Amino acid sequence: MTTRTHARPDGPGTRGILYVHSAPSALCPHIEWAVGGVLGVAVSLDWTPQPAQPGTYRAELSWSGSAGSAAAVASALRGWNHLRFEITEEPTPSSEGTRFSFTPELGVFHAVTGLHGDIMIPEDRLKAAVVKAALGETTLLNEIDKLLGKPWDDELETFRHAGDGAPVRWLHQVV
């Protein structure tokens, strides 16, 4: 299910979606408190069982808030064992969009996204990937895959599809 919430933006307003792909039941209220603390509103998610990992739960939150909220939520949630999540933030006139993915095994992946959701890779990161490949430390394809978040996508794909067909409910809170 998807829950919708609005926070009072302190800066340029934006919106995004938080996908909690898997979390143990004991962690669910802590996730709600952490996200609510960042967004400045009470958050109550509709948790449904995650078939890809029995004993865990999934939830979605469509949120509105100030630019940088996705980074703050990712910082608040990163490092929690047994948690898998993704959070996106749409671009504003003064900021790029962002995408964060987290798995316990890989940690945090961060990407800047363009207007249509494409990952935008900074020039210096591309140059570093070429140098690493030229030195024989890795292959260029492997480095590009990392820059695009492929290892995170590969790990999260099973959890994403396990949510297909889950009921969706939109809640609106006026602030």
Side-chain angles (χ1 to χ4, degrees):
M1 294 188 176
T2 301
T3 305
R4 181 151 178 87
T5 189
H6 296 277
R8 184 173 294 123
D10 295 329
T14 188
R15 60 187 177 179
I17 299 177
L18 168 66
Y19 300 96
V20 177
H21 292 298
S22 70
S25 61
L27 202 53
C28 295
H30 299 283
I31 293 167
E32 292 176 354
W33 297 328
V35 173
V38 169
L39 296 177
V41 295
V43 171
S44 178
L45 300 173
D46 293 320
W47 296 97
T48 59
Q50 172 53 273
Q53 187 177 23
T56 66
Y57 294 85
R58 65 179 313 280
E60 297 176 13
L61 174 70
S62 178
W63 58 270
S64 296
S66 49
S69 294
V73 169
S75 291
L77 299 181
R78 73 180 193 94
W80 290 5
N81 287 334
H82 310 293
L83 175 64
R84 288 173 182 82
F85 71 88
E86 293 179 277
I87 186 165
T88 62
E89 180 173 303
E90 293 184 5
T92 70
S94 61
S95 66
E96 302 290 351
T98 58
R99 173 183 156 210
F100 293 87
S101 301
F102 178 83
T103 73
E105 296 79 19
L106 297 171
V108 174
F109 169 75
H110 169 254
V112 174
T113 57
L115 182 61
H116 301 291
D118 296 324
I119 292 176
M120 298 170 28
I121 302 171
E123 180 181 342
D124 61 332
R125 293 184 69 196
L126 282 171
K127 287 179 180 178
V130 170
V131 168
K132 283 175 105 175
L135 293 173
E137 296 175 21
T138 184
T139 66
L140 187 56
L141 180 58
N142 189 40
E143 287 304 299
I144 290 172
D145 282 348
K146 284 192 237 174
L147 291 172
L148 293 172
K150 186 177 182 321
W152 287 264
D153 286 340
D154 290 347
E155 187 171 328
L156 292 172
E157 198 62 24
T158 300
F159 294 90
R160 292 174 183 147
H161 287 297
D164 286 350
V168 175
R169 186 176 85 188
W170 293 89
L171 298 178
H172 299 279
Q173 177 180 1
V174 177
V175 178

